[in-house]
Amino acid sequence: MECRAVTRVLSVTSECAPLVKTGGLADVAGALPGALAQHGVKMRTLLPGYPGFIWKLRDTRLRAELPECFGGPARLLEVRHAGLDLLILDAPHLYDREGGLYLGPDGRDWPDNPERFAALSWVACEIANGLLADWQPDIVHCHDWQGALAPCYIARSPAAQQVRTVLTIHNIAFQGLVPATRLSALRLDSADFTQHGFEYWGKISALKAGLIFADRITTVSPTYAEELLTPEFGMGLEGVLMERRADLSGILNGIDLDVWSPEKDPHIIPYHAPVGKLPNKAVLQAEFRLPESEGPLCVVVSRLTEQKGLDLLLEALPVLLERGGQLALLGTGDPELEAAFTRAAEHPNVAVRIGYDEWLAHRMIAGADAILVPSRFEPCGLTQLYGLRYGTLPLVALTGGLADTVIPATPATLAGTPVATGLQFHPVTDSALSNALARLCALRAQPDLWRRMQRNAMAHPVGWDHSAAAYAALYKNLPGITP
Ligand code: ADP
């Protein structure tokens, strides 16, 4: 294969910041292209044309018309927006509707989710096949189950044989399981509907298709890459991953330091050193109608789901409150958790906002003393990284990316090098979390030690430099990409 100095990569994603976001995938998809540019990688991003943003885009160019795209006509639009080179799949019959990206107004998956994201993956394959005369990718890098059929379509497409594929797992809990009756609707070959293909207990598994057919598989932290090989975390796909072990690696997510930086964050009172957090804490307490207090103000910014372990926090909360601590939570999700936290907010030192608010998230992370992430599993996690950057010490469960990014307070790390940047607890139970909250309160009561941890946390590298270099190296080591 011809080798080019610039590696051309098509990123295939169902969400991408700043245009459309429900979680960490969007942040990663939005930040990677810029971070990779310095490594000779030219990335374009293929994204569904959801109604929430498509009208905002200016100067879109029509690149292709697709008369029959999984049940209706579609267009492929090209646009440069927020520093990203975007290809937008404008397919109104699939995306133009009121509701969430994945869920309808009734809170259930859209019934045609398989077609909605098969279409995205199919169009990625068409681009790999040369749909755009002037741009063909060397690599298609797809994300999660929504993009995971692309490696399968590409592997089965003679015209795209030279294109390599990478699948990144951001969360294995979502696998894109589809009844076998939809095989032909999804343009899949029944010959691949086997145990060695994308069949999973009698269903089509979009994620498994990617795991089988992609040249390389990555996930978003080294610890999660190891955990995925176990029944506890692999969610039924551990055997498939074990077989692909040689091609599986973990590359930590970074955060966008232009967006998450206490020195230049427009949503806060900027600061360079931990002491600068004090006025932000006062603002936050006022905003949440919490009394002024000496105890640690802890925040949570999270989806409210079983994964995030916030039911454990409800159990452990008295330990924090008894020691003069406070909790401010911003989140949305499971109605039962929303109701339980709303009830907890009857306590004067607990405040809760149900909803999604990007700017409030910035003010909370700037103003708090600590950020709590008690997840049962966490592929990487981003909010603990924001916490480090802002000197807001993370208290995290010892799992996945949380284990890889926080240096836990122990007698050794409190005394010497490396210096602790937060607290970790294990096992992920309410009693271990209670103990950790008690330790947090005890540490917060030692201002010199706390400051030292804060300074160390703020100096901890959390940007994309290291990870972008790792992705670039992965791309360049794919067969046919480098000499
Ligand atoms: P996940 O992708 O599992 O939701 P991550 O920690 O990887 O978890 O990423 C979550 C992202 O979504 C972070 O950028 C976080 O700040 C943001 N986020 C989550 N819930 C909210 C919310 N209610 N309001 C604002 N931002 C939120």
Side-chain angles (χ1 to χ4, degrees), residues 113-115 117-119 121 142-153 167-169 172 174-179 186 188 193 197-200 203-214 237 240:
N113 270 349
E115 286 78 7
F117 297 108
S121 298
C142 51
H143 299 275
D144 276 348
W145 78 263
Q146 291 90 345
L149 287 176
C152 173
Y153 293 138
L167 169 69
T168 295
I169 306 167
I172 204 157
F174 305 104
Q175 302 185 355
L177 288 176
V178 187
L186 299 188
L188 292 167
F193 188 68
F198 48 68
E199 188 254 347
Y200 183 79
K203 291 190 170 176
I204 302 162
S205 164
L207 188 63
K208 187 180 172 204
L211 298 180
I212 297 285
F213 288 100
L237 291 173
V240 182

mmCIF file of all heavy atoms in Angstrom, residues 113-115 117-119 121 142-153 167-169 172 174-179 186 188 193 197-200 203-214 237 240:
data_model
loop_
_atom_site.group_PDB
_atom_site.id
_atom_site.type_symbol
_atom_site.label_atom_id
_atom_site.label_comp_id
_atom_site.label_asym_id
_atom_site.label_seq_id
_atom_site.Cartn_x
_atom_site.Cartn_y
_atom_site.Cartn_z
ATOM 1 N N ASN A 113 -33.260 2.256 16.582
ATOM 2 C CA ASN A 113 -31.838 2.539 16.861
ATOM 3 C C ASN A 113 -30.903 1.672 16.022
ATOM 4 O O ASN A 113 -29.884 2.172 15.526
ATOM 5 C CB ASN A 113 -31.529 2.354 18.346
ATOM 6 C CG ASN A 113 -31.719 3.647 19.133
ATOM 7 O OD1 ASN A 113 -31.881 4.713 18.545
ATOM 8 N ND2 ASN A 113 -31.705 3.555 20.451
ATOM 9 N N PRO A 114 -31.197 0.375 15.831
ATOM 10 C CA PRO A 114 -30.275 -0.420 15.012
ATOM 11 C C PRO A 114 -30.083 0.188 13.616
ATOM 12 O O PRO A 114 -28.951 0.317 13.146
ATOM 13 C CB PRO A 114 -30.959 -1.785 14.941
ATOM 14 C CG PRO A 114 -31.786 -1.854 16.182
ATOM 15 C CD PRO A 114 -32.253 -0.456 16.438
ATOM 16 N N GLU A 115 -31.183 0.582 12.971
ATOM 17 C CA GLU A 115 -31.065 1.166 11.627
ATOM 18 C C GLU A 115 -30.381 2.537 11.690
ATOM 19 O O GLU A 115 -29.580 2.892 10.821
ATOM 20 C CB GLU A 115 -32.445 1.332 10.971
ATOM 21 C CG GLU A 115 -33.074 0.043 10.486
ATOM 22 C CD GLU A 115 -33.692 -0.797 11.601
ATOM 23 O OE1 GLU A 115 -33.760 -0.312 12.760
ATOM 24 O OE2 GLU A 115 -34.089 -1.944 11.316
ATOM 25 N N PHE A 117 -28.079 3.652 13.591
ATOM 26 C CA PHE A 117 -26.621 3.649 13.706
ATOM 27 C C PHE A 117 -25.958 2.693 12.708
ATOM 28 O O PHE A 117 -24.795 2.895 12.355
ATOM 29 C CB PHE A 117 -26.217 3.427 15.161
ATOM 30 C CG PHE A 117 -26.712 4.573 16.009
ATOM 31 C CD1 PHE A 117 -27.768 4.420 16.892
ATOM 32 C CD2 PHE A 117 -26.165 5.841 15.844
ATOM 33 C CE1 PHE A 117 -28.264 5.498 17.616
ATOM 34 C CE2 PHE A 117 -26.654 6.927 16.565
ATOM 35 C CZ PHE A 117 -27.710 6.751 17.454
ATOM 36 N N ALA A 118 -26.723 1.727 12.213
ATOM 37 C CA ALA A 118 -26.197 0.933 11.091
ATOM 38 C C ALA A 118 -25.967 1.881 9.905
ATOM 39 O O ALA A 118 -24.973 1.759 9.178
ATOM 40 C CB ALA A 118 -27.161 -0.181 10.717
ATOM 41 N N ALA A 119 -26.887 2.816 9.729
ATOM 42 C CA ALA A 119 -26.749 3.762 8.614
ATOM 43 C C ALA A 119 -25.444 4.562 8.759
ATOM 44 O O ALA A 119 -24.705 4.765 7.781
ATOM 45 C CB ALA A 119 -27.949 4.708 8.583
ATOM 46 N N SER A 121 -22.732 3.654 10.294
ATOM 47 C CA SER A 121 -21.602 2.758 10.025
ATOM 48 C C SER A 121 -21.505 2.433 8.534
ATOM 49 O O SER A 121 -20.407 2.324 7.976
ATOM 50 C CB SER A 121 -21.778 1.455 10.815
ATOM 51 O OG SER A 121 -21.774 1.716 12.187
ATOM 52 N N CYS A 142 -13.871 3.889 14.845
ATOM 53 C CA CYS A 142 -15.260 4.020 15.274
ATOM 54 C C CYS A 142 -15.363 3.873 16.789
ATOM 55 O O CYS A 142 -14.483 3.298 17.432
ATOM 56 C CB CYS A 142 -16.136 3.014 14.548
ATOM 57 S SG CYS A 142 -15.519 1.360 14.621
ATOM 58 N N HIS A 143 -16.444 4.425 17.299
ATOM 59 C CA HIS A 143 -16.621 4.518 18.752
ATOM 60 C C HIS A 143 -17.907 3.821 19.177
ATOM 61 O O HIS A 143 -18.990 4.112 18.648
ATOM 62 C CB HIS A 143 -16.674 5.990 19.165
ATOM 63 C CG HIS A 143 -15.413 6.733 18.838
ATOM 64 N ND1 HIS A 143 -14.324 6.748 19.664
ATOM 65 C CD2 HIS A 143 -15.053 7.442 17.741
ATOM 66 C CE1 HIS A 143 -13.352 7.461 19.120
ATOM 67 N NE2 HIS A 143 -13.771 7.891 17.943
ATOM 68 N N ASP A 144 -17.754 2.921 20.149
ATOM 69 C CA ASP A 144 -18.904 2.252 20.784
ATOM 70 C C ASP A 144 -19.789 1.522 19.770
ATOM 71 O O ASP A 144 -19.497 1.470 18.586
ATOM 72 C CB ASP A 144 -19.707 3.257 21.626
ATOM 73 C CG ASP A 144 -19.102 3.438 23.026
ATOM 74 O OD1 ASP A 144 -18.223 2.629 23.403
ATOM 75 O OD2 ASP A 144 -19.509 4.366 23.741
ATOM 76 N N TRP A 145 -20.884 0.948 20.264
ATOM 77 C CA TRP A 145 -21.684 0.062 19.387
ATOM 78 C C TRP A 145 -22.254 0.830 18.216
ATOM 79 O O TRP A 145 -22.466 0.264 17.141
ATOM 80 C CB TRP A 145 -22.773 -0.659 20.178
ATOM 81 C CG TRP A 145 -24.000 0.172 20.501
ATOM 82 C CD1 TRP A 145 -24.249 0.835 21.659
ATOM 83 C CD2 TRP A 145 -25.134 0.399 19.653
ATOM 84 N NE1 TRP A 145 -25.464 1.488 21.586
ATOM 85 C CE2 TRP A 145 -26.031 1.227 20.369
ATOM 86 C CE3 TRP A 145 -25.489 -0.007 18.366
ATOM 87 C CZ2 TRP A 145 -27.244 1.657 19.849
ATOM 88 C CZ3 TRP A 145 -26.705 0.421 17.838
ATOM 89 C CH2 TRP A 145 -27.573 1.244 18.576
ATOM 90 N N GLN A 146 -22.471 2.133 18.406
ATOM 91 C CA GLN A 146 -23.120 2.892 17.330
ATOM 92 C C GLN A 146 -22.262 2.944 16.066
ATOM 93 O O GLN A 146 -22.782 3.120 14.968
ATOM 94 C CB GLN A 146 -23.437 4.317 17.805
ATOM 95 C CG GLN A 146 -24.530 4.393 18.873
ATOM 96 C CD GLN A 146 -23.993 4.306 20.283
ATOM 97 O OE1 GLN A 146 -22.847 3.920 20.503
ATOM 98 N NE2 GLN A 146 -24.812 4.664 21.241
ATOM 99 N N GLY A 147 -20.941 2.819 16.239
ATOM 100 C CA GLY A 147 -20.072 2.828 15.055
ATOM 101 C C GLY A 147 -19.506 1.447 14.739
ATOM 102 O O GLY A 147 -18.753 1.282 13.773
ATOM 103 N N ALA A 148 -19.888 0.458 15.563
ATOM 104 C CA ALA A 148 -19.133 -0.800 15.547
ATOM 105 C C ALA A 148 -19.453 -1.727 14.374
ATOM 106 O O ALA A 148 -18.746 -2.707 14.158
ATOM 107 C CB ALA A 148 -19.342 -1.542 16.872
ATOM 108 N N LEU A 149 -20.527 -1.418 13.624
ATOM 109 C CA LEU A 149 -20.758 -2.238 12.433
ATOM 110 C C LEU A 149 -19.813 -1.830 11.297
ATOM 111 O O LEU A 149 -19.636 -2.587 10.340
ATOM 112 C CB LEU A 149 -22.214 -2.137 11.967
ATOM 113 C CG LEU A 149 -23.248 -2.869 12.848
ATOM 114 C CD1 LEU A 149 -24.656 -2.613 12.326
ATOM 115 C CD2 LEU A 149 -22.971 -4.375 12.899
ATOM 116 N N ALA A 150 -19.208 -0.656 11.403
ATOM 117 C CA ALA A 150 -18.354 -0.183 10.291
ATOM 118 C C ALA A 150 -17.215 -1.170 9.983
ATOM 119 O O ALA A 150 -16.998 -1.493 8.807
ATOM 120 C CB ALA A 150 -17.820 1.220 10.592
ATOM 121 N N PRO A 151 -16.473 -1.672 10.981
ATOM 122 C CA PRO A 151 -15.397 -2.621 10.641
ATOM 123 C C PRO A 151 -15.918 -3.862 9.926
ATOM 124 O O PRO A 151 -15.221 -4.424 9.069
ATOM 125 C CB PRO A 151 -14.804 -2.986 12.013
ATOM 126 C CG PRO A 151 -15.134 -1.827 12.885
ATOM 127 C CD PRO A 151 -16.480 -1.346 12.417
ATOM 128 N N CYS A 152 -17.151 -4.274 10.254
ATOM 129 C CA CYS A 152 -17.731 -5.448 9.604
ATOM 130 C C CYS A 152 -18.075 -5.125 8.148
ATOM 131 O O CYS A 152 -17.702 -5.864 7.230
ATOM 132 C CB CYS A 152 -18.970 -5.856 10.397
ATOM 133 S SG CYS A 152 -19.921 -7.156 9.646
ATOM 134 N N TYR A 153 -18.762 -4.005 7.919
ATOM 135 C CA TYR A 153 -19.079 -3.628 6.537
ATOM 136 C C TYR A 153 -17.792 -3.471 5.721
ATOM 137 O O TYR A 153 -17.723 -3.888 4.570
ATOM 138 C CB TYR A 153 -19.847 -2.298 6.499
ATOM 139 C CG TYR A 153 -21.238 -2.316 7.097
ATOM 140 C CD1 TYR A 153 -21.680 -1.254 7.899
ATOM 141 C CD2 TYR A 153 -22.129 -3.359 6.853
ATOM 142 C CE1 TYR A 153 -22.959 -1.240 8.437
ATOM 143 C CE2 TYR A 153 -23.423 -3.352 7.400
ATOM 144 C CZ TYR A 153 -23.823 -2.290 8.190
ATOM 145 O OH TYR A 153 -25.094 -2.275 8.726
ATOM 146 N N LEU A 167 -11.600 0.154 16.743
ATOM 147 C CA LEU A 167 -12.825 0.348 17.540
ATOM 148 C C LEU A 167 -12.420 0.750 18.948
ATOM 149 O O LEU A 167 -11.589 0.083 19.566
ATOM 150 C CB LEU A 167 -13.628 -0.957 17.602
ATOM 151 C CG LEU A 167 -14.791 -0.970 18.618
ATOM 152 C CD1 LEU A 167 -15.913 -0.031 18.183
ATOM 153 C CD2 LEU A 167 -15.346 -2.386 18.801
ATOM 154 N N THR A 168 -13.004 1.818 19.449
ATOM 155 C CA THR A 168 -12.778 2.189 20.850
ATOM 156 C C THR A 168 -14.045 1.915 21.661
ATOM 157 O O THR A 168 -15.135 2.347 21.286
ATOM 158 C CB THR A 168 -12.374 3.667 20.974
ATOM 159 O OG1 THR A 168 -11.106 3.826 20.336
ATOM 160 C CG2 THR A 168 -12.236 4.091 22.442
ATOM 161 N N ILE A 169 -13.848 1.182 22.752
ATOM 162 C CA ILE A 169 -14.957 0.902 23.678
ATOM 163 C C ILE A 169 -14.934 1.986 24.761
ATOM 164 O O ILE A 169 -13.992 2.062 25.550
ATOM 165 C CB ILE A 169 -14.770 -0.466 24.369
ATOM 166 C CG1 ILE A 169 -14.580 -1.585 23.347
ATOM 167 C CG2 ILE A 169 -15.936 -0.758 25.298
ATOM 168 C CD1 ILE A 169 -14.084 -2.896 23.976
ATOM 169 N N ILE A 172 -18.683 -0.749 27.825
ATOM 170 C CA ILE A 172 -19.119 -2.046 27.269
ATOM 171 C C ILE A 172 -20.531 -2.399 27.699
ATOM 172 O O ILE A 172 -21.114 -3.373 27.211
ATOM 173 C CB ILE A 172 -18.112 -3.163 27.623
ATOM 174 C CG1 ILE A 172 -18.220 -4.301 26.590
ATOM 175 C CG2 ILE A 172 -18.338 -3.681 29.039
ATOM 176 C CD1 ILE A 172 -17.006 -5.154 26.477
ATOM 177 N N PHE A 174 -23.114 -0.938 26.879
ATOM 178 C CA PHE A 174 -24.018 -0.700 25.751
ATOM 179 C C PHE A 174 -23.498 -1.490 24.553
ATOM 180 O O PHE A 174 -22.407 -1.220 24.051
ATOM 181 C CB PHE A 174 -24.094 0.792 25.436
ATOM 182 C CG PHE A 174 -24.476 1.615 26.643
ATOM 183 C CD1 PHE A 174 -23.528 2.365 27.326
ATOM 184 C CD2 PHE A 174 -25.772 1.601 27.124
ATOM 185 C CE1 PHE A 174 -23.870 3.097 28.453
ATOM 186 C CE2 PHE A 174 -26.134 2.327 28.249
ATOM 187 C CZ PHE A 174 -25.183 3.075 28.918
ATOM 188 N N GLN A 175 -24.283 -2.497 24.114
ATOM 189 C CA GLN A 175 -23.736 -3.432 23.125
ATOM 190 C C GLN A 175 -24.495 -3.440 21.807
ATOM 191 O O GLN A 175 -24.059 -4.084 20.862
ATOM 192 C CB GLN A 175 -23.683 -4.837 23.731
ATOM 193 C CG GLN A 175 -22.834 -4.867 24.993
ATOM 194 C CD GLN A 175 -22.637 -6.248 25.573
ATOM 195 O OE1 GLN A 175 -23.215 -7.227 25.103
ATOM 196 N NE2 GLN A 175 -21.815 -6.328 26.609
ATOM 197 N N GLY A 176 -25.637 -2.775 21.725
ATOM 198 C CA GLY A 176 -26.378 -2.732 20.466
ATOM 199 C C GLY A 176 -26.876 -4.104 20.056
ATOM 200 O O GLY A 176 -26.557 -4.582 18.968
ATOM 201 N N LEU A 177 -27.684 -4.733 20.926
ATOM 202 C CA LEU A 177 -28.233 -6.062 20.613
ATOM 203 C C LEU A 177 -29.508 -5.904 19.782
ATOM 204 O O LEU A 177 -30.365 -5.080 20.101
ATOM 205 C CB LEU A 177 -28.546 -6.819 21.904
ATOM 206 C CG LEU A 177 -27.325 -7.300 22.684
ATOM 207 C CD1 LEU A 177 -27.748 -7.957 23.990
ATOM 208 C CD2 LEU A 177 -26.481 -8.270 21.857
ATOM 209 N N VAL A 178 -29.613 -6.715 18.721
ATOM 210 C CA VAL A 178 -30.692 -6.557 17.754
ATOM 211 C C VAL A 178 -31.244 -7.947 17.426
ATOM 212 O O VAL A 178 -30.457 -8.887 17.232
ATOM 213 C CB VAL A 178 -30.140 -5.930 16.442
ATOM 214 C CG1 VAL A 178 -31.276 -5.597 15.496
ATOM 215 C CG2 VAL A 178 -29.264 -4.714 16.715
ATOM 216 N N PRO A 179 -32.584 -8.097 17.348
ATOM 217 C CA PRO A 179 -33.125 -9.404 16.964
ATOM 218 C C PRO A 179 -32.585 -9.858 15.607
ATOM 219 O O PRO A 179 -32.395 -9.032 14.690
ATOM 220 C CB PRO A 179 -34.639 -9.160 16.876
ATOM 221 C CG PRO A 179 -34.884 -7.936 17.679
ATOM 222 C CD PRO A 179 -33.634 -7.107 17.605
ATOM 223 N N LEU A 186 -30.337 -4.649 8.191
ATOM 224 C CA LEU A 186 -29.084 -3.975 8.566
ATOM 225 C C LEU A 186 -27.974 -4.241 7.538
ATOM 226 O O LEU A 186 -26.821 -3.868 7.766
ATOM 227 C CB LEU A 186 -28.636 -4.431 9.965
ATOM 228 C CG LEU A 186 -29.624 -4.130 11.103
ATOM 229 C CD1 LEU A 186 -28.995 -4.450 12.449
ATOM 230 C CD2 LEU A 186 -30.089 -2.684 11.077
ATOM 231 N N LEU A 188 -26.527 -6.943 6.716
ATOM 232 C CA LEU A 188 -25.476 -7.827 7.225
ATOM 233 C C LEU A 188 -25.578 -9.177 6.533
ATOM 234 O O LEU A 188 -26.675 -9.596 6.123
ATOM 235 C CB LEU A 188 -25.625 -7.988 8.744
ATOM 236 C CG LEU A 188 -25.339 -6.723 9.541
ATOM 237 C CD1 LEU A 188 -25.823 -6.869 10.986
ATOM 238 C CD2 LEU A 188 -23.849 -6.376 9.514
ATOM 239 N N PHE A 193 -23.364 -14.508 10.794
ATOM 240 C CA PHE A 193 -24.206 -14.656 11.987
ATOM 241 C C PHE A 193 -23.881 -15.985 12.653
ATOM 242 O O PHE A 193 -24.648 -16.938 12.664
ATOM 243 C CB PHE A 193 -25.686 -14.569 11.585
ATOM 244 C CG PHE A 193 -26.614 -14.527 12.767
ATOM 245 C CD1 PHE A 193 -26.631 -13.426 13.616
ATOM 246 C CD2 PHE A 193 -27.467 -15.583 13.047
ATOM 247 C CE1 PHE A 193 -27.472 -13.384 14.713
ATOM 248 C CE2 PHE A 193 -28.310 -15.552 14.150
ATOM 249 C CZ PHE A 193 -28.316 -14.452 14.981
ATOM 250 N N GLY A 197 -18.694 -14.810 14.465
ATOM 251 C CA GLY A 197 -19.014 -13.513 13.864
ATOM 252 C C GLY A 197 -19.747 -12.664 14.893
ATOM 253 O O GLY A 197 -19.397 -12.672 16.074
ATOM 254 N N PHE A 198 -20.822 -11.997 14.446
ATOM 255 C CA PHE A 198 -21.485 -11.048 15.352
ATOM 256 C C PHE A 198 -22.699 -11.626 16.070
ATOM 257 O O PHE A 198 -23.455 -10.895 16.685
ATOM 258 C CB PHE A 198 -21.859 -9.761 14.611
ATOM 259 C CG PHE A 198 -22.547 -9.985 13.299
ATOM 260 C CD1 PHE A 198 -23.818 -10.518 13.246
ATOM 261 C CD2 PHE A 198 -21.907 -9.641 12.112
ATOM 262 C CE1 PHE A 198 -24.453 -10.726 12.049
ATOM 263 C CE2 PHE A 198 -22.533 -9.843 10.891
ATOM 264 C CZ PHE A 198 -23.813 -10.394 10.862
ATOM 265 N N GLU A 199 -22.872 -12.937 15.996
ATOM 266 C CA GLU A 199 -24.003 -13.520 16.723
ATOM 267 C C GLU A 199 -23.691 -13.560 18.221
ATOM 268 O O GLU A 199 -22.570 -13.895 18.622
ATOM 269 C CB GLU A 199 -24.259 -14.942 16.203
ATOM 270 C CG GLU A 199 -25.522 -15.561 16.753
ATOM 271 C CD GLU A 199 -25.269 -16.637 17.804
ATOM 272 O OE1 GLU A 199 -24.119 -17.093 17.952
ATOM 273 O OE2 GLU A 199 -26.217 -16.991 18.503
ATOM 274 N N TYR A 200 -24.677 -13.201 19.031
ATOM 275 C CA TYR A 200 -24.501 -13.239 20.482
ATOM 276 C C TYR A 200 -25.786 -13.774 21.094
ATOM 277 O O TYR A 200 -26.799 -13.071 21.096
ATOM 278 C CB TYR A 200 -24.176 -11.832 21.011
ATOM 279 C CG TYR A 200 -23.899 -11.793 22.489
ATOM 280 C CD1 TYR A 200 -22.663 -12.182 22.999
ATOM 281 C CD2 TYR A 200 -24.887 -11.386 23.380
ATOM 282 C CE1 TYR A 200 -22.427 -12.169 24.357
ATOM 283 C CE2 TYR A 200 -24.650 -11.361 24.745
ATOM 284 C CZ TYR A 200 -23.415 -11.760 25.216
ATOM 285 O OH TYR A 200 -23.177 -11.741 26.571
ATOM 286 N N LYS A 203 -28.808 -13.300 19.015
ATOM 287 C CA LYS A 203 -29.080 -11.946 18.512
ATOM 288 C C LYS A 203 -27.878 -11.414 17.738
ATOM 289 O O LYS A 203 -26.777 -11.971 17.834
ATOM 290 C CB LYS A 203 -29.370 -10.996 19.681
ATOM 291 C CG LYS A 203 -30.676 -11.300 20.368
ATOM 292 C CD LYS A 203 -31.026 -10.200 21.335
ATOM 293 C CE LYS A 203 -32.462 -10.407 21.817
ATOM 294 N NZ LYS A 203 -32.847 -9.462 22.807
ATOM 295 N N ILE A 204 -28.100 -10.321 17.037
ATOM 296 C CA ILE A 204 -26.989 -9.610 16.419
ATOM 297 C C ILE A 204 -26.418 -8.682 17.489
ATOM 298 O O ILE A 204 -27.173 -7.959 18.138
ATOM 299 C CB ILE A 204 -27.486 -8.725 15.246
ATOM 300 C CG1 ILE A 204 -28.200 -9.577 14.196
ATOM 301 C CG2 ILE A 204 -26.346 -7.909 14.651
ATOM 302 C CD1 ILE A 204 -29.090 -8.753 13.262
ATOM 303 N N SER A 205 -25.105 -8.694 17.681
ATOM 304 C CA SER A 205 -24.480 -7.738 18.595
ATOM 305 C C SER A 205 -23.592 -6.806 17.767
ATOM 306 O O SER A 205 -22.582 -7.231 17.212
ATOM 307 C CB SER A 205 -23.631 -8.465 19.639
ATOM 308 O OG SER A 205 -22.766 -7.544 20.267
ATOM 309 N N ALA A 206 -24.008 -5.549 17.700
ATOM 310 C CA ALA A 206 -23.229 -4.587 16.912
ATOM 311 C C ALA A 206 -21.831 -4.442 17.510
ATOM 312 O O ALA A 206 -20.829 -4.407 16.787
ATOM 313 C CB ALA A 206 -23.940 -3.235 16.882
ATOM 314 N N LEU A 207 -21.754 -4.396 18.843
ATOM 315 C CA LEU A 207 -20.434 -4.207 19.455
ATOM 316 C C LEU A 207 -19.534 -5.400 19.164
ATOM 317 O O LEU A 207 -18.352 -5.247 18.832
ATOM 318 C CB LEU A 207 -20.562 -3.991 20.966
ATOM 319 C CG LEU A 207 -19.255 -3.588 21.639
ATOM 320 C CD1 LEU A 207 -18.756 -2.241 21.121
ATOM 321 C CD2 LEU A 207 -19.396 -3.534 23.154
ATOM 322 N N LYS A 208 -20.119 -6.600 19.229
ATOM 323 C CA LYS A 208 -19.302 -7.788 18.959
ATOM 324 C C LYS A 208 -18.807 -7.766 17.515
ATOM 325 O O LYS A 208 -17.669 -8.186 17.239
ATOM 326 C CB LYS A 208 -20.109 -9.063 19.239
ATOM 327 C CG LYS A 208 -19.250 -10.315 19.149
ATOM 328 C CD LYS A 208 -20.034 -11.574 19.430
ATOM 329 C CE LYS A 208 -19.161 -12.795 19.120
ATOM 330 N NZ LYS A 208 -19.958 -13.987 18.813
ATOM 331 N N ALA A 209 -19.627 -7.275 16.601
ATOM 332 C CA ALA A 209 -19.180 -7.172 15.204
ATOM 333 C C ALA A 209 -17.878 -6.363 15.142
ATOM 334 O O ALA A 209 -16.909 -6.748 14.480
ATOM 335 C CB ALA A 209 -20.255 -6.508 14.345
ATOM 336 N N GLY A 210 -17.869 -5.258 15.873
ATOM 337 C CA GLY A 210 -16.654 -4.443 15.886
ATOM 338 C C GLY A 210 -15.489 -5.170 16.532
ATOM 339 O O GLY A 210 -14.353 -5.106 16.061
ATOM 340 N N LEU A 211 -15.784 -5.888 17.617
ATOM 341 C CA LEU A 211 -14.703 -6.596 18.323
ATOM 342 C C LEU A 211 -14.096 -7.685 17.442
ATOM 343 O O LEU A 211 -12.910 -7.985 17.525
ATOM 344 C CB LEU A 211 -15.219 -7.223 19.620
ATOM 345 C CG LEU A 211 -15.759 -6.263 20.673
ATOM 346 C CD1 LEU A 211 -16.227 -7.025 21.905
ATOM 347 C CD2 LEU A 211 -14.697 -5.242 21.065
ATOM 348 N N ILE A 212 -14.929 -8.287 16.603
ATOM 349 C CA ILE A 212 -14.435 -9.363 15.743
ATOM 350 C C ILE A 212 -13.682 -8.792 14.538
ATOM 351 O O ILE A 212 -12.608 -9.282 14.175
ATOM 352 C CB ILE A 212 -15.621 -10.228 15.239
ATOM 353 C CG1 ILE A 212 -16.326 -10.917 16.408
ATOM 354 C CG2 ILE A 212 -15.172 -11.220 14.157
ATOM 355 C CD1 ILE A 212 -15.590 -12.091 17.012
ATOM 356 N N PHE A 213 -14.230 -7.748 13.919
ATOM 357 C CA PHE A 213 -13.711 -7.332 12.625
ATOM 358 C C PHE A 213 -12.699 -6.183 12.671
ATOM 359 O O PHE A 213 -11.969 -5.989 11.701
ATOM 360 C CB PHE A 213 -14.868 -6.936 11.686
ATOM 361 C CG PHE A 213 -15.654 -8.123 11.210
ATOM 362 C CD1 PHE A 213 -16.864 -8.470 11.794
ATOM 363 C CD2 PHE A 213 -15.174 -8.926 10.180
ATOM 364 C CE1 PHE A 213 -17.584 -9.576 11.362
ATOM 365 C CE2 PHE A 213 -15.883 -10.041 9.737
ATOM 366 C CZ PHE A 213 -17.091 -10.361 10.333
ATOM 367 N N ALA A 214 -12.645 -5.417 13.746
ATOM 368 C CA ALA A 214 -11.704 -4.280 13.759
ATOM 369 C C ALA A 214 -10.267 -4.796 13.817
ATOM 370 O O ALA A 214 -9.985 -5.832 14.433
ATOM 371 C CB ALA A 214 -11.989 -3.390 14.970
ATOM 372 N N LEU A 237 -18.797 -10.272 27.054
ATOM 373 C CA LEU A 237 -17.899 -10.218 25.894
ATOM 374 C C LEU A 237 -16.447 -10.495 26.280
ATOM 375 O O LEU A 237 -15.540 -10.344 25.461
ATOM 376 C CB LEU A 237 -18.034 -8.863 25.184
ATOM 377 C CG LEU A 237 -19.397 -8.668 24.484
ATOM 378 C CD1 LEU A 237 -19.543 -7.255 23.933
ATOM 379 C CD2 LEU A 237 -19.572 -9.688 23.352
ATOM 380 N N VAL A 240 -14.660 -13.040 23.970
ATOM 381 C CA VAL A 240 -14.292 -12.477 22.663
ATOM 382 C C VAL A 240 -13.061 -11.581 22.825
ATOM 383 O O VAL A 240 -12.114 -11.635 22.031
ATOM 384 C CB VAL A 240 -15.462 -11.629 22.097
ATOM 385 C CG1 VAL A 240 -15.115 -11.080 20.730
ATOM 386 C CG2 VAL A 240 -16.737 -12.438 22.054
#
